[in-house]
Amino acid sequence: TTQFWSRASVVTLYYECKDAGPGQELRYNTNMDRQYLLDVATRRVAIEWAKAQKAYPILRNIATPTTKISARLKTTAGYACYGAHSVEFSASLMWEHTEHFIKDTIPHEVAHLVTHRVYPDVKGHHNAEWYAIMLNVYGIKATRCHTLTNTEWEARKARAI
């Protein structure tokens, strides 16, 4: 199995402490966070795509999807873009829920691309073919939507009320 860095093991690499006085918070370098997340996601997308290529020979000559990390996505965990053959993930949700992304969200989005390539005429996104790929290729009993909370986004909304 492939090991990924846990959030706890990289906090010291990505956070800068600014005068650790009372009431002062840690701030982080967003570019470094996104690069870390991109590295993790890109590796995991490659692993999940390789599993699909093994299961579906039709995919063997198709390159690994492009991976993007977006600061724009706040409540959407990720999405697959069929035309660009890419997947995009929420930076804030992935940072807060890295393990869930590795185990569930990344395979979920890659399965959309697999479904689109293997069953191009099938309509819908979370259809029977997609569920079958999630179960048979990734061993995951799929769910359509996540229940992850973006605590920073929720706190901002609460302060705005």
Side-chain angles (χ1 to χ4, degrees):
T1 62
T2 303
Q3 292 293 319
F4 290 94
W5 303 305
S6 69
R7 180 178 180 205
S9 69
V10 297
V11 166
T12 55
L13 295 176
Y14 296 98
Y15 280 78
E16 300 168 348
C17 193
K18 185 180 165 190
D19 294 358
Q24 291 188 329
E25 296 180 16
L26 292 174
R27 63 183 178 85
Y28 62 91
N29 182 327
T30 305
N31 292 329
M32 290 176 74
D33 283 347
R34 274 195 231 136
Q35 186 58 53
Y36 160 73
L37 295 174
L38 182 61
D39 291 346
V40 171
T42 300
R43 288 182 189 141
R44 197 66 201 185
V45 166
I47 289 167
E48 302 304 344
W49 187 254
K51 289 178 187 176
Q53 287 177 315
K54 187 175 180 182
Y56 298 99
I58 192 171
L59 300 175
R60 289 200 177 129
N61 294 326
I62 301 173
T64 302
T66 305
T67 306
K68 299 174 186 174
I69 300 296
S70 173
R72 177 180 58 83
L73 299 174
K74 302 297 182 202
T75 57
T76 300
Y79 66 90
C81 183
Y82 301 137
H85 188 61
S86 66
V87 287
E88 188 167 341
F89 302 104
S90 164
S92 52
L93 281 172
M94 187 172 176
W95 184 251
E96 193 168 350
H97 306 282
T98 306
E99 185 175 348
H100 183 277
F101 268 74
I102 290 167
K103 290 181 177 178
D104 188 32
T105 304
I106 293 173
H108 176 120
E109 298 307 333
V110 172
H112 284 302
L113 295 177
V114 172
T115 305
H116 178 71
R117 295 287 184 156
V118 175
Y119 307 101
D121 298 326
V122 173
K123 301 291 181 208
H125 300 290
H126 298 101
N127 49 41
E129 291 79 6
W130 176 82
Y131 279 100
I133 289 168
M134 287 293 288
L135 187 60
N136 298 329
V137 176
Y138 302 121
I140 299 170
K141 188 171 181 183
T143 55
R144 184 180 166 270
C145 297
H146 70 80
T147 57
L148 305 175
T149 301
N150 181 337
T151 53
E152 182 181 344
W153 178 248
E154 294 298 326
R156 281 187 194 166
K157 286 191 328 188
R159 284 192 296 266
I161 295 177

